[in-house]
Amino acid sequence: MQKTDPITLEIIQNSLQATADEMFAVMKKTAMSSIIYEVLDMGTGITDAKGQLASSGAGIPAFIGVLDKAVKVLVKKFDKPGDIEPGDVFLTNDPYYGGVTHLNDIIVAMPVFAGGRIIAWTANIAHNSDVGGMAPGSLTGEATEIFQEGLRLPAIKVISRGDTIRSVMDIIKVNSRMPDVLEGDVWAAIASVRIGARRLVDIANKYGVETFEHAMSSFMDFGEQVSLTELAKLPKGTFELSEEQDDGRIFNVKITIFDTEFTVDLRDNPDQSTGPVNTSRDGVMVAAQMIFKSLTDPYSPANEGSFRPIRLLTREGSVFQAREPAPIGFYYEIELRVYDIMWRCLAQHMPERLASGNFASVCGTFIGGIHPDTGRQYTIIEPQLGGWGASERGDGNSAIFSGFHGETYNCPAEINEARNGLMVDRMELNMEPGGEGKFTGGRGIVMDYRIRGDNGFLTAGYTRSKFPAWALDGGREGSPNYVRVIRKDGSSERFSFVSGLTTHTDDVIRVVTGNGGGIGDPKERDRAAVEEDIKNGLITRERAREIYGVA
């Protein structure tokens, strides 16, 4: 067949997606941390030889968008003959050296050779439970420089021509409080890129290297054309938004939409923080890519071409383009803030495409200590479910992860209780007021973790705690995200950000995530829908009478 045969090109493209899915399955089946094998806090993908995203892969949207940026750093760094050879595997976790996110997230990448040259890269990323640093779990709001957040892997080689570089693996293990778990998760990631590389070699051999490479490039061009076609349908002009954050900072965004370009200007924003609430420019680009994809072509796979119309403007030394060695541990909350202000900026102009505000926080909850049964260190890293905003078509979804986190899963109570030193007493929908409207915002959750041992710790970082999810067209705001620590004696404290808080036996850590924002005047809500809400216990009749005017 000719390399331009569209059927062959489509088969190759689908094979790339199938390969990324298989890589994802390998990690899920072989990882040691529940954050990976249960929550699926990971992503897999395939790039071309230059590091351009060829297949959007599988996993967390914000993770998949990281992989091509990491591979591009590797390609640039290892640019001499012999630097990259068959069987090599590379690692990076440092946001200043291709890691994009934070030190807990290790990216593993492998070059794929066929026809005597590199034809692609397979890559993955996953959150690791502990990579050292000043605090268990490697995340703390008290960090003032990245050196305190864990071991830095600045785009290095861990396997050379198929042989493990033992000293590198030893350094990784000795810096972790959970060395066997970390080693197991890294090897799961290595197994994943290896199986992916094997599959791509088979595909290239079957159809020919030139046809394989042409398939990738042609689908990037196709992705660009699809984006440009949909971009032309969006309202044109410049749209701006300023929004106060929970910590008092003002974040600003200016989006200009042309027929062929989508410009996001974030230069007018605060300087980088002395604490770990910063992000990298690449991380902000991921946020811009997610909102752009949502607006243009949300249902098809993404590749490098899909995002060519994006032009991102940031300022070095700002919170959205931190300068080394700024700490960056809670980067995900800052990227979510960027994602959310872009969403809010455009939602009032495109309500048919964008819903009202959601709980918009990972609500990352880190609980750890010494397991009372095994005597070993344990650390839970748990993103939380929350409420999504209402749209013009209906009520928002309840108990769904944030857009940053995508289609992942909460860790089952049985796994948490078996692996970690706590009990899960309850998880139920959040019945706090908030999110009422013609269509209502989805419900967040209330989840209780009861601690089984003394001298444990809690670290958490929630945003949208002071300012709940925003509403549209006369709807009501949602409710806040927060965590409450209820001591055995009945006293309690409420937090949005807390680091290393000491916990004891029978303390309860109560996670409360927000309801999404409503849309439309609550008085216009369908009476049958109100009665159904009352029947399902989502609202009392007294409150329904107050909000919706139900008799």
Side-chain angles (χ1 to χ4, degrees):
M1 287 187 179
Q2 297 296 318
K3 68 179 181 180
T4 55
D5 172 29
I7 296 175
T8 299
L9 300 183
E10 184 73 25
I11 290 172
I12 291 173
Q13 184 64 23
N14 287 337
S15 296
L16 296 181
Q17 186 65 49
T19 298
D21 290 342
E22 185 176 4
M23 291 165 59
F24 190 87
V26 168
M27 287 190 72
K28 176 183 177 181
K29 290 179 179 295
T30 57
M32 292 186 67
S33 295
S34 58
I35 186 69
I36 300 176
Y37 69 75
E38 288 288 350
V39 178
L40 306 183
D41 197 338
M42 59 178 174
T44 61
I46 295 165
T47 78
D48 69 4
K50 297 177 182 178
Q52 299 180 111
L53 187 65
S55 171
S56 54
I60 295 175
F63 271 6
I64 295 166
V66 164
L67 299 175
D68 58 325
K69 299 164 184 61
V71 173
K72 287 175 183 176
V73 169
L74 291 168
V75 170
K76 183 177 180 180
K77 180 176 180 179
F78 295 92
D79 61 345
K80 297 181 178 58
D83 279 357
I84 303 175
E85 299 179 288
D88 288 352
V89 178
F90 298 83
L91 305 177
T92 187
N93 72 340
D94 195 306
Y96 301 110
Y97 298 90
V100 181
T101 57
H102 61 182
L103 299 183
N104 286 83
D105 298 333
I106 297 178
I107 297 164
V108 178
M110 184 174 188
V112 181
F113 283 80
R117 63 180 183 269
I118 298 174
I119 62 166
W121 288 75
T122 55
N124 59 51
I125 178 174
H127 185 104
N128 291 268
S129 298
D130 189 289
V131 292
M134 66 184 290
S138 307
L139 274 178
T140 172
E142 296 175 359
T144 58
E145 52 185 6
I146 195 170
F147 305 108
Q148 298 167 318
E149 295 182 324
L151 176 68
R152 301 176 69 185
L153 304 169
I156 62 170
K157 188 182 293 188
V158 67
I159 293 178
S160 178
R161 296 187 65 84
D163 294 327
T164 305
I165 304 174
R166 193 70 253 171
S167 57
V168 172
M169 195 65 77
D170 288 344
I171 289 169
I172 293 171
K173 287 179 60 179
V174 79
N175 275 277
S176 175
R177 296 169 181 83
M178 304 168 67
D180 53 341
V181 173
L182 178 58
E183 183 182 30
D185 289 340
V186 169
W187 276 111
I190 292 170
S192 168
V193 294
R194 280 176 164 171
I195 194 67
R198 190 182 309 160
R199 297 291 182 261
L200 296 187
V201 170
D202 290 343
I203 297 167
N205 288 338
K206 181 176 181 179
Y207 296 103
V209 170
E210 289 187 2
T211 301
F212 178 87
E213 293 175 326
H214 178 65
M216 288 194 289
S217 63
S218 67
F219 265 87
M220 291 179 196
D221 292 339
F222 177 73
E224 180 181 19
Q225 289 306 311
V226 170
S227 291
L228 289 173
T229 299
E230 294 301 318
L231 181 59
K233 300 176 184 178
L234 299 182
K236 304 303 182 294
T238 297
F239 311 98
E240 300 182 55
L241 178 75
S242 295
E243 182 185 83
E244 184 178 358
Q245 306 303 304
D246 288 350
D247 59 8
R249 292 184 291 182
I250 305 294
F251 287 174
N252 306 291
V253 63
K254 181 189 295 185
I255 299 174
T256 304
I257 302 177
F258 303 98
D259 283 334
T260 58
E261 185 175 278
F262 185 89
T263 300
V264 178
D265 189 344
L266 294 165
R267 291 174 293 184
D268 181 23
N269 274 292
D271 291 343
Q272 66 191 46
S273 172
T274 55
V277 283
N278 303 294
T279 189
S280 65
R281 186 182 188 281
D282 279 343
V284 173
M285 175 57 86
V286 173
Q289 289 173 336
M290 289 194 296
I291 197 73
F292 180 78
K293 185 66 172 168
S294 298
L295 290 171
T296 54
D297 182 34
Y299 300 111
S300 68
N303 57 44
E304 179 87 8
S306 305
F307 305 122
R308 286 175 185 162
I310 299 175
R311 182 177 177 227
L312 176 65
L313 303 174
T314 56
R315 177 176 62 85
E316 186 177 4
S318 72
V319 63
F320 298 137
Q321 189 182 349
R323 184 185 294 120
E324 188 178 4
I328 211 162
F330 287 92
Y331 82 95
Y332 48 84
E333 289 300 323
I334 303 306
E335 287 183 20
L336 258 172
R337 301 272 49 79
V338 175
Y339 181 60
D340 198 46
I341 61 174
M342 288 191 292
W343 185 319
R344 186 176 187 179
C345 178
L346 296 175
Q348 56 191 317
H349 308 286
M350 308 177 198
E352 74 285 357
R353 295 177 183 260
L354 296 171
S356 55
N358 61 80
F359 76 116
S361 176
V362 171
C363 293
T365 309
F366 304 82
I367 304 171
I370 302 301
H371 198 295
D373 300 330
T374 67
R376 300 181 65 182
Q377 173 77 38
Y378 76 92
T379 302
I380 294 174
I381 306 99
E382 189 116 55
Q384 303 292 348
L385 308 165
W388 277 68
S391 72
E392 288 188 332
R393 295 180 294 277
D395 295 343
N397 288 320
S398 297
I400 300 291
F401 282 113
S402 69
F404 181 96
H405 226 262
E407 293 185 33
T408 49
Y409 298 87
N410 61 305
C411 188
E414 296 85 352
I415 298 295
N416 259 332
E417 293 177 350
R419 293 286 302 271
N420 303 306
L422 49 72
M423 299 294 289
V424 178
D425 285 346
R426 69 166 174 168
M427 186 173 76
E428 59 191 40
L429 292 179
N430 180 2
M431 293 294 111
E432 290 182 6
E436 297 83 7
K438 178 181 179 180
F439 295 113
T440 66
R443 296 281 173 175
I445 65 164
V446 179
M447 187 166 183
D448 285 358
Y449 301 92
R450 180 162 44 86
I451 306 302
R452 292 180 53 219
D454 287 329
N455 298 315
F457 73 90
L458 166 68
T459 293
Y462 297 7
T463 53
R464 284 242 171 269
S465 184
K466 183 177 180 182
F467 299 103
W470 43 271
L472 286 173
D473 195 26
R476 296 200 176 189
E477 289 184 338
S479 62
N481 303 307
Y482 61 93
V483 59
R484 186 178 296 279
V485 178
I486 305 169
R487 303 293 185 178
K488 185 178 180 179
D489 63 6
S491 61
S492 68
E493 306 162 273
R494 174 172 164 165
F495 302 96
S496 56
F497 264 78
V498 61
S499 293
L501 183 74
T502 301
T503 60
H504 298 289
T505 302
D506 288 332
D507 286 348
V508 172
I509 297 170
R510 176 167 296 165
V511 168
V512 182
T513 65
N515 302 328
I519 188 169
D521 186 344
K523 295 294 192 293
E524 297 180 9
R525 185 162 178 79
D526 182 79
R527 291 299 177 264
V530 176
E531 290 295 338
E532 188 70 16
D533 290 344
I534 295 170
K535 177 182 176 182
N536 293 331
L538 298 178
I539 192 169
T540 64
R541 183 164 295 278
E542 291 74 17
R543 182 153 181 80
R545 187 178 298 115
E546 173 192 346
I547 299 297
Y548 299 114
V550 173

